[in-house]
Structures are given as structure tokens and as C-alpha cells.
Amino acid sequence: MREGKDRPLTVHQLNELLLICSLVLLIAVAAVRISSRSGLPSLLLYLGIGIAIGQDGIFDVKFDDAELTQVIGYAALVVILAEGGLSTKWKEIEPALPAAVMLSTVGVAVSVGVTAAGAHYLVGLEWRQALIIGAVVSSTDAAAVFSVLRRVPLPTRVTGVLEAESGFNDAPVVILVVAFSTAGPVDDWYVLVGKILLELAIGAAIGLAAGWLGAFGLRRVALPASGLYPIAVMAIAVVAYAAGAMAHGSGFLAVYLASMVLGNSRLPHAPANRGFAEGLGWIAQIGMFVLLGLLVTPHELVDDVWPAIIVGLVLTMVARPLEVFLSLLPFRIPWREQVLMSWAGLRGAVPIILATIPTVYGIEGSDRVFNIVFVLVVVYTLVQGPTLPWLAKALRLGRASGAADLGIESAPLERLRGHLLSVAIPAESRMHGVEVAELRLPPGAAVTLVVRDGKSFVPLPSTVLRRGDELLVVATDPVRDAAERRLRAVGQGGKLADWLGTGINGGNAGNTRGRLD
């Protein structure tokens, strides 16, 4: 048997490890509730748990394996991007794609240059270290963007651009960080641009192909158990990442696009697929942030607090607004939306993970780079996340009406070629007071059951719907989407939705962010 530190875990040690991991997970799950009540981004609470466990913390656990952290962080990011892609609606993101691509390419270049210049001239970092920091913090974090934006009712164009940007900009940033962290001279700018464009093209092609083939197969192969479908969907997403990375493309872009294709395809058990991915996404976020908290040594951060704040000011107040302004010039986006996009360039675990790359490559001063990035992310996430709803309200970019969107779940009736729509009417919905007949659902759709105060009944055409009701709507395949659009229109505009400009294709219906399964 091997001696010393190479000795394998005993059963007792394994049980202790499982107990500690379970307790950490339970504490982190409880932190989600605290986060939702306080408005603080959950990543700060998870990082705090890791710091409390790690060096200088309660248990003084010493962990300094940057390479392992990077590997686990990449794996967690794959799961987070997969969950984000599955829950992204194509109709919302399609108009935002050109702007997101510009932000992910031209915008990244602007952000890296401006931030690196600030780090060099204001903080005194060497150019290589300054460029690494500029590249690292130019990546918006998918987990932070998905978790914060989906709690803020913003116009579809804004959320679409920001979500797509967070899924696209990892590829160019990773290429730049690796290039700046490699010993020897950095490639010429046109070589880096060529690499970025090539990797994006390869990743996009593989991601779209994997998503289409996966959706095609899942619709035609009857699996023996419904629980296998969510596993198969996540497996397809991971295969897309692996294939993209092995083909020297962007694996992150591949997994995001493959998941988006799968999420917008009519797959069996789609709500269960998304629920499973959401659960895995939470576990990935919790594990990733706790591990990053373990990696940091708090007493070493003190000397780098002010440099991090200065670099963060340059990034937030100069680089990000300039990036948004220059990238979005061709699209004539209103200045209010540009201001909000500038403030909503949220950073999270991704920059911290990328900051481990120079450490793995043995770059001089890499520890200071990591510390600056860590402090910057924590401080500015603490500032930007909670203030984003306030800024949206100040810019008058929140939900235009007081009506809340409906919660709609869909379950396919494959053999009957139909769908069951479960509709929850929130307190602010304008469907309150509308009679069932006044919904004017398309032929082939009907309200078959109403659940009110814990009791269910079959409604009459004259039944008046109330806030808090849950409806069961049956719709045939051809009219399923039309029925859902009509329900959302009534929820936003009431019984006169079509005449008030809040019908299926108009008004605020396009700005909803409800669950569409």
C-alpha cells in the first residue's frame, strides 16, 4: 500500500468528505433564499462560503491547486452554458445576434485595450500583466447574467443582447488570455483576430450541427424511461463542447448553441429537460464558486484592493461604455438601452477562472493578477447586481405595464398530437376578471379545468377567472403556439388586448420573460 499523501481515501475518510460536501451544499442552497430576498448576487454568498472554509477561515482548509480549479471551472461553465442555452428563446435572441456578435468581437478588443492601458498607466503593471487582466475581465459571466437578468423585467432586445454576449464572448477572451500567458512574444494582432474568427466559426458550426442532430434523434427514438431524456439532452450538450474543443474551435460557443437548438425544438418531456438542467446548473455554480473561494488567500488580497478598484473603475466607467457605444453604432439602439447594457456587463466566476491560466503557465506576477481580478469581481458585482433594477427603473426600461406575465408549463401528448398547457395567473395579471369565453382561444384549444383555492372544477364559458387561478388548457399541435400567444396577450392587455395594441404581435407581449416550455 502507498504511504503518506499518496495513500487512497479510506471508507471513513470518504464518509467524512461526503458529509462535508453535503453540508456545504445545504448551506449554499439556503443561501439562494437569502440572495433572492436581499437582491445580492448568489455568487458572493457562495464565494463567502468557500472563503470561510478555506485558508484564514473557520476550518483553515489549504487549497492552492489552480490547475484543478481551472479544469473544474471549465466543466461547471459547460453545464451553466447548457442550462442557459436550453432556457433561451430563439424568438427573443434572434434580433439580438448581430449586436451580440459585435460586442463579443469588436467590443472585447476595445475593452481589452482600454482596461489594459488603465492597468499599466494607473496601477503600474507590466504590459503583459495588464493585457492579461484586460482580457480576463472583458468576459461577461454567463451564470451572473442569467441569474440576475431573469429576475429583472427588461425589454427583450436588452436581455437578448446581454445573454447572447455572455455565451459568445468566452471564446475570444480565452484565446487572448492564453496568447498573453504564453512565454515568448505575443502573436501579431491580425493572427489573433484570425484565430478568434476561426474558432468561433468552428464552434458555431459544430454546436448547431450537434443540436440539430440531437433534436432529430430524440424526436424519433423512444427511450425506455422518461428520466433518460434530460440525461440525453445534457449529454448532447457536453458532446458539442468536447467536439468543438477537439476540433480547435470554441467549445463554449458550441455547447451554448447546441443547447439553444435543443431548447427551441419540440422535444419529449421538455419541461423535465429544463428542470434537470436548471438543477445541474445550480450545483455547478455552487461548486465552482465555493472552490474559487477556497483557492483565494484572504490576507494576500489586502495589498491589491486599491489596484483592483482602480482597474474596475476604468473597466466599468470607461471601457465598458465605450465598448457598448462603438459596437452598437450600426444598430441605432436608444441611448437608454446602451446605458443599461453598459452597467449590466456583469462579471462573475468566469473571469476568476480565466485568471488561473497565467498561474498554470507560470507567468511572473500571476498571483497578483489573480488577486486583482478576484477583488474586482467581488466589489463590482456587489455594486452592479443590486443596483441594476434601480437603474432600469430610472431609465424607464422596466416592464411598461404593471401586469405580470403568466407562468405557462407545457407537457406534450405525443400519441394524441396535442399539448397540455398549465397556466398560472399571477396577482398582477390582467386576466383577472376575464370570462373563459372572452379569452377567444383559437379553434382546437380550450380551457378544460380550473384550480381555485385548492379545488378544481370544469369551467363554463361564463366562468370569471381570478388571480391565483391555475388553468389546464388542451391544445392541438397546430394551434399550440397561437393559444399560448393569445393567453399571454390577455394576461398583459386584458380582454381588449387586440384593440389596445397588446395582442399577439404587438405592445408589451414581445417584452415578456415568462416560462415558455
Side-chain angles (χ1 to χ4, degrees):
M1 181 179 292
R2 292 176 293 179
E3 297 293 329
K5 64 179 182 179
D6 293 327
R7 182 180 301 170
L9 285 175
T10 64
V11 174
H12 180 69
Q13 291 172 325
L14 179 61
N15 291 338
E16 289 181 342
L17 180 62
L18 290 174
L19 177 61
I20 293 173
C21 291
S22 300
L23 289 174
V24 170
L25 186 60
L26 287 173
I27 294 172
V29 170
V32 176
R33 183 63 175 174
I34 299 174
S35 172
S36 62
R37 283 178 172 270
S38 64
L40 291 175
S42 56
L43 73 90
L44 295 180
L45 298 175
Y46 304 148
L47 284 173
I49 293 172
I51 293 173
I53 295 173
Q55 300 181 54
D56 300 342
I58 299 173
F59 298 100
D60 197 28
V61 175
K62 292 179 173 57
F63 178 79
D64 58 0
D65 195 333
E67 188 171 2
L68 177 62
T69 302
Q70 181 183 330
V71 171
I72 295 177
Y74 275 27
L77 184 57
V78 168
V79 175
I80 292 168
L81 285 172
E83 188 272 329
L86 286 171
S87 56
T88 297
K89 296 305 170 185
W90 174 249
K91 66 181 181 181
E92 296 177 356
I93 204 174
E94 181 184 11
L97 285 180
V101 170
M102 288 292 289
L103 279 172
S104 303
T105 51
V106 175
V108 165
V110 172
S111 180
V112 171
V114 174
T115 306
H120 177 72
Y121 291 111
L122 299 179
V123 179
L125 294 177
E126 296 179 356
W127 270 115
R128 183 182 291 270
Q129 297 172 359
L131 286 170
I132 290 173
I133 289 180
V136 164
V137 298
S138 294
S139 174
T140 56
D141 183 69
V145 169
F146 293 149
S147 63
V148 173
L149 291 186
R150 290 176 183 177
R151 291 188 283 109
V152 183
L154 298 177
T156 303
R157 176 166 55 187
V158 174
T159 53
V161 169
L162 292 172
E163 289 190 8
E165 179 197 11
S166 69
F168 293 167
N169 64 10
D170 292 325
V173 167
V174 170
I175 295 171
L176 291 174
V177 174
V178 172
F180 297 149
S181 301
T182 303
V186 178
D187 291 333
D188 292 326
W189 68 268
Y190 53 85
V191 176
L192 289 177
V193 170
K195 287 182 178 179
I196 290 172
L197 295 178
L198 180 61
E199 288 204 15
L200 287 175
I202 294 174
I206 291 178
L208 293 173
W212 186 86
L213 291 173
F216 180 84
L218 288 175
R219 284 196 299 263
R220 286 160 177 77
V221 176
L223 297 178
S226 60
L228 293 175
Y229 284 94
I231 298 175
V233 168
M234 290 302 297
I236 292 169
V238 174
V239 166
Y241 169 80
M246 292 177 67
H248 302 287
S250 171
F252 294 132
L253 181 59
V255 68
Y256 181 71
L257 290 179
S259 302
M260 189 165 63
V261 172
L262 290 168
N264 286 273
S265 302
R266 292 189 177 180
L267 300 180
H269 309 288
N273 298 339
R274 273 185 278 273
F276 180 76
E278 185 178 7
L280 286 183
W282 275 110
I283 293 175
Q285 288 187 54
I286 292 169
M288 179 171 58
F289 293 138
V290 170
L291 190 63
L292 290 172
L294 277 172
L295 184 64
V296 73
T297 304
H299 72 264
E300 295 179 355
L301 301 176
V302 177
D303 294 336
D304 295 313
V305 170
W306 282 112
I309 292 176
I310 293 172
V311 174
L313 280 173
V314 174
L315 171 68
T316 307
M317 307 307 295
V318 182
R320 177 65 180 181
L322 190 60
E323 166 192 357
V324 171
F325 174 74
L326 293 178
S327 300
L328 302 183
L329 266 179
F331 305 103
R332 297 181 179 179
I333 292 178
W335 69 268
R336 288 187 179 88
E337 295 185 11
Q338 292 193 35
V339 170
L340 189 62
M341 290 182 193
S342 299
W343 191 247
L346 302 174
R347 273 72 190 176
V350 173
I352 303 177
I353 293 170
L354 296 180
T356 64
I357 293 177
T359 302
V360 173
Y361 278 83
I363 296 298
E364 183 180 356
S366 58
D367 289 343
R368 191 181 185 198
V369 169
F370 180 85
N371 291 340
I372 289 175
V373 172
F374 188 92
V375 174
L376 186 155
V377 168
V378 170
V379 171
Y380 286 93
T381 300
L382 185 61
V383 172
Q384 290 175 277
T387 58
L388 187 58
W390 173 85
L391 180 61
K393 184 177 180 180
L395 294 171
R396 291 177 291 178
L397 288 175
R399 195 183 306 279
S401 68
D405 192 21
L406 300 175
I408 299 182
E409 292 281 353
S410 174
L413 303 172
E414 296 170 21
R415 296 180 62 184
L416 301 179
R417 304 183 64 82
H419 289 263
L420 286 176
L421 302 179
S422 175
V423 182
I425 304 178
E428 301 84 2
S429 175
R430 292 181 178 173
M431 192 177 286
H432 174 76
V434 175
E435 294 183 4
V436 170
E438 292 173 330
L439 292 175
R440 290 185 286 119
L441 296 175
V447 179
T448 59
L449 198 69
V450 174
V451 179
R452 178 178 298 164
D453 299 327
K455 298 179 180 180
S456 59
F457 60 91
V458 177
L460 299 172
S462 59
T463 298
V464 178
L465 303 176
R466 300 177 183 174
R467 58 178 61 94
D469 284 355
E470 294 184 20
L471 316 180
L472 188 64
V473 179
V474 177
T476 59
D477 252 350
V479 303
R480 185 264 187 206
D481 291 339
E484 182 173 319
R485 288 195 298 269
R486 177 59 191 164
L487 289 167
R488 290 200 183 282
V490 176
Q492 289 291 311
K495 67 180 72 176
L496 301 178
D498 290 339
W499 290 277
L500 294 178
T502 52
I504 294 173
N505 296 315
N508 297 326
N511 290 341
T512 58
R513 297 286 303 162
R515 300 175 64 182
L516 300 171
D517 291 317

